[in-house]
Amino acid sequence: MTEQPKGQDDIQGTPMTRNTSKYKRVMLKISGEALMGDQGFGLHPPTVERIAREVQKVQEMGVEICMVIGGGNIFRGLQGSAQGMERTTADYMGMLATVMNALGMQAALEALGLHTRVISAITMNEVAEPYIRRRAVRHLEKKRICIFAAGTGNPYFTTDTAATLRANEMACEAIFMGKNGVDGVYDKDPKTNADAKRYENISYDEVLSKHLKVMDASAIALARDNDLPLIVFSLDEPGGFRTILEGHGTYTTVS
């Protein structure tokens, strides 16, 4: 048997690439709505493929990638609860929606030749791995993309909190929050206010005190308490994710 060259991954891994980014390992958090394109509901395959290519460009830099995807394009637990559904049941339905999105993204990534693992906080062995921290870390070390699904596995917690929790557990160096149509954090909604001003840098405490809609308060507090920076950028610009990792582009840093 021929010995595998040093520095190359083993079975089902991806050959290692020299890291040209300031970050070794990052968390990419995107909303479920980012996957539905202009169709208003569900998954829009061309949009999913476009985002997968953005992830591919970053992995080619040698960056280890975690992902968390929301489920709002299929079902949003809080809205179900507001319409009279019992909150816990509604939240679990939302968690299942995130699993569907994770599987859709996995299919798009693997069509590009990237190795991925969908890791679910709710046990469903037929479609995803259960969450085991050490196993997930090993996947990242082997340059596999880990898509964390089903939130934290608990009701009353958003996927923002799940992304922040997993980012801390995986020792990510930053959370990258990809937005649709917004290239950072603004003092007011830029879609309805022409005079809205974008922050280059802002503290977590300012985000909380000014009630800026970046993440929910629990996620912001968890990131702040663990000194985990948040980079808010637009997913709309082709190559934008990679460009920002290279230190260029337009974005807001929350720290």
Side-chain angles (χ1 to χ4, degrees):
M1 181 180 292
T2 303
E3 184 178 354
Q4 190 177 30
K6 185 176 181 181
Q8 199 170 22
D9 195 19
D10 55 8
I11 297 174
Q12 294 188 339
T14 302
M16 294 181 68
T17 306
R18 186 175 67 87
N19 193 332
T20 58
S21 164
K22 64 182 289 188
Y23 300 107
K24 176 184 177 183
R25 181 179 297 168
V26 300
M27 167 65 73
L28 174 62
K29 167 62 172 67
I30 60 178
S31 67
E33 288 88 343
L35 305 184
M36 65 186 185
D38 57 1
Q39 64 186 16
F41 180 81
L43 292 167
H44 183 236
T47 300
V48 177
E49 180 183 354
R50 178 181 62 80
I51 294 173
R53 291 191 181 279
E54 294 294 308
V55 174
Q56 180 187 36
K57 291 174 184 177
V58 169
Q59 200 201 46
E60 288 172 350
M61 299 171 66
V63 178
E64 297 170 2
I65 304 170
C66 303
M67 294 183 70
V68 167
I69 306 171
N73 57 319
I74 300 172
F75 187 87
R76 187 180 293 276
L78 200 57
Q79 289 180 351
S81 176
Q83 294 171 4
M85 184 178 292
E86 194 271 324
R87 175 64 187 270
T88 300
T89 299
D91 280 355
Y92 277 119
M93 290 175 68
M95 291 179 218
L96 295 178
T98 71
V99 177
M100 295 172 67
N101 285 337
L103 292 173
M105 181 57 67
Q106 180 183 45
L109 290 167
E110 292 190 341
L112 298 174
L114 305 180
H115 296 285
T116 72
R117 293 292 185 274
V118 173
I119 302 172
S120 174
I122 298 174
T123 303
M124 46 183 75
N125 292 329
E126 289 76 12
V127 298
E129 289 187 7
Y131 176 70
I132 300 172
R133 189 185 68 84
R134 288 181 180 272
R135 181 185 291 177
V137 169
R138 185 62 177 142
H139 287 321
L140 292 170
E141 292 172 347
K142 291 182 178 181
K143 307 305 176 185
R144 297 166 182 159
I145 297 169
C146 289
I147 308 173
F148 296 99
T152 66
N154 301 288
Y156 296 95
F157 290 94
T158 67
T159 50
D160 286 345
T161 301
T164 309
L165 174 64
R166 297 294 184 235
N168 279 297
E169 290 179 304
M170 294 298 105
C172 292
E173 297 166 344
I175 300 174
F176 282 75
M177 176 166 280
K179 296 285 190 178
N180 292 338
V182 180
D183 57 2
V185 179
Y186 285 75
D187 61 348
K188 60 186 76 172
D189 189 348
K191 296 179 180 179
T192 56
N193 297 276
D195 61 341
K197 296 181 180 179
R198 183 178 58 82
Y199 296 99
E200 292 286 341
N201 298 278
I202 189 170
S203 71
Y204 281 118
D205 286 335
E206 286 180 288
V207 168
L208 290 172
S209 65
K210 294 178 180 179
H211 304 288
L212 301 176
K213 296 180 180 180
V214 181
M215 279 181 159
D216 68 80
S218 297
I220 291 290
L222 182 59
R224 178 196 61 194
D225 294 347
N226 289 277
D227 297 320
L228 183 63
L230 170 66
I231 291 88
V232 183
F233 71 104
S234 173
L235 268 177
D236 298 332
E237 182 181 351
F241 186 19
R242 175 167 183 153
T243 299
I244 291 169
L245 276 160
E246 291 173 332
H248 310 292
T250 302
Y251 57 93
T252 297
T253 301
V254 185
S255 60

